[in-house]
């Protein structure tokens, strides 16, 4: 990792490692039963993926399609039931199966009708055995689909957190991001959500939109703060290949002026929220000081044990991360969904990335370091029997040299000077405030050469 490589602060949003573009077809198609036979199944995470949206935002490169022909959502739920049955059967041998968290994502889960959402929750509870009223349940929604009947179902089924993709309260900025919505409709959706009594409301906002200024950015933040959300996610805008905004892009490569704009807006937004009773959990996530905790923060899953249902969901075991095929283009996505709906045998993993011991250590490092709490050296030592500096010394030292990494320890005899120099106490490696601001550069540069090579060789579709 060279100094030059770290000059652009916006390279990749690291929400999972390895990235799905590193996944490949698995020639041996291992059985799920063999993959899960020796795994700890006492505290699993459950994720159900709904790959449908009413519109596709211009910045979106998620696995989702616009609309659904008659009967497709029902056929998709039929396939989810078949997959859930196969997965549950594969999990049965080898001890207790218990879920500690659950999430409905997409796409837009609330694209489904209220009865279909009820059925989706039934799949999680009756087919998979997750007690949705006893564990944190997070659901994603859009303003247009956050209707009273849908929200009522979600509240009754135990939803503890609802995340609303707003992106901007300024109508002209929403249009510029190809997010067709009016502020009045957003406000009405937020009122309906608050009326349900769901404990945690999260609002997603985006900075770096064409025409956005610091004044309009702070105006959006204040509009969100009027609803006293328990959480706020602030996302930098990216223009990814094959997305709507990409079709209108006139240049290629880095844009220093845009980088500067996004950094300036990030800092303004961060400082605005910190001054108003929020704590920073990561580069993107801010939580109100008095908000109820929901368990592990999003994307902080250093450990394994993720069950994903649906054609865009990932599953994690210690030795393999697996899913179905991945695409961004609409034609390809439709084909993958059609194949999923027609699948009768869900007993094998088809596409994935095999995790060796080094990749497991790198994943733990990444998904700890990119959280504001940082990496606890004692936890790393207990899990891997090694020190993070022994495994990643040069990379960590470079971050420290740039002023992006520091360490703290409970041992007062340890040298408190900046840099990765943990002593015998319970040391914690943390990104500095400026390090957190550069999370989207730090994360990708910590990818292994093998993962970077696989991502580079991925053929976009």
């Amino acid at each position: 990792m060279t100094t030059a490589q770290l000059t652009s602060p916006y390279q990749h949003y690291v929400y999972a490692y390895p990235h799905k573009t590193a996944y490949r077809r698995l020639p041996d198609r291992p059985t799920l039963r063999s993959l899960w036979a020796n795994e700890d199944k006492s505290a699993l995470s459950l994720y159900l993926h709904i790959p449908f949206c009413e519109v596709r935002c211009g910045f979106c490169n998620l696995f989702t399609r616009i609309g659904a022909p008659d009967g497709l959502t029902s056929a998709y739920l039929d396939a989810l039931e078949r997959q859930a049955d196969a997965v549950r059967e594969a999990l049965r041998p080898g001890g207790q199966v218990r879920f500690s968290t659950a999430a409905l994502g997409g796409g837009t889960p609330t694209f489904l009708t209220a009865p279909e959402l009820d059925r989706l929750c039934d799949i999680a509870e009756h087919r998979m055995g997750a007690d949705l009223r006893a564990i944190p349940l997070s659901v994603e929604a859009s303003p247009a689909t956050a209707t009273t009947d849908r929200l009522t179902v979600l509240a009754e089924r135990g939803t503890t957190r609802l995340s609303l993709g707003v992106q901007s309260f300024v109508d002209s900025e929403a249009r510029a991001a190809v997010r067709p919505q009016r502020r009045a409709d957003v406000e009405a959706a937020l009122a309906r959500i608050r009326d349900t009594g769901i404990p945690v409301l999260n609002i997603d906002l985006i900075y770096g939109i064409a025409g956005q200024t610091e004044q309009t950015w702070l105006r959006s933040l204040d509009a969100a703060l009027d609803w006293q959300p328990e959480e706020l996610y602030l996302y930098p805008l990216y223009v990814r290949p094959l997305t709507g905004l990409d079709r209108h892009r006139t240049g290629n490569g880095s844009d220093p002026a845009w980088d500067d704009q996004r950094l300036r807006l990030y800092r303004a937004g961060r400082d605005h929220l910190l001054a108003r009773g929020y704590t920073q959990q990561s580069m993107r996530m801010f939580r109100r000081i008095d908000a109820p905790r929901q368990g592990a923060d999003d994307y902080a899953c250093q450990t394994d044990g993720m069950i994903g249902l649906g054609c865009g969901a990932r599953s994690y075991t210690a030795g393999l991360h697996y899913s179905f095929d991945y695409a961004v283009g609409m034609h390809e996505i439709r084909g993958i969904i059609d194949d999923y709906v027609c699948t009768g045998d869900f007993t094998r993993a088809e596409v994935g990335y095999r995790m060796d011991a080094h990749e497991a250590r790198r994943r733990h490092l990444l998904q700890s370091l990119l959280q504001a709490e940082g990496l606890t050296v004692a936890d790393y030592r207990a899990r891997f029997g090694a020190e993070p500096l022994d495994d990643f010394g040069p990379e960590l030292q470079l971050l420290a040299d740039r002023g992006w990494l520091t360490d703290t320890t409970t041992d007062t005899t340890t040298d408190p000077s900046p840099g990765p120099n943990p002593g015998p106490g319970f040391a914690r490696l943390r990104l500095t405030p400026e390090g957190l601001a550069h999370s989207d550069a730090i994360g990708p540069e910590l990818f292994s050469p093998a993962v970077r090579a696989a991502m580079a060789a991925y053929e976009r579709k």
Side-chain angles (χ1 to χ4, degrees), residues 399-428:
L399 295 178
D401 290 345
R402 292 181 67 88
W404 292 354
L405 182 72
T406 188
D407 72 85
T408 58
T409 177
T410 58
D411 187 337
T412 57
T413 65
T414 302
D415 180 5
S417 60
N421 183 36
F426 293 98
R428 186 183 295 270

Side-chain angles (χ1 to χ4, degrees), residues 133 152 371 373 403:
R133 293 173 182 81
T152 298
Q371 299 294 314
E373 290 185 352

Side-chain angles (χ1 to χ4, degrees), residues 56-67:
R56 193 175 199 190
C57 303
F59 50 84
C60 178
N61 68 341
L62 297 179
F63 186 91
T64 188
R65 64 164 290 167
I66 302 169

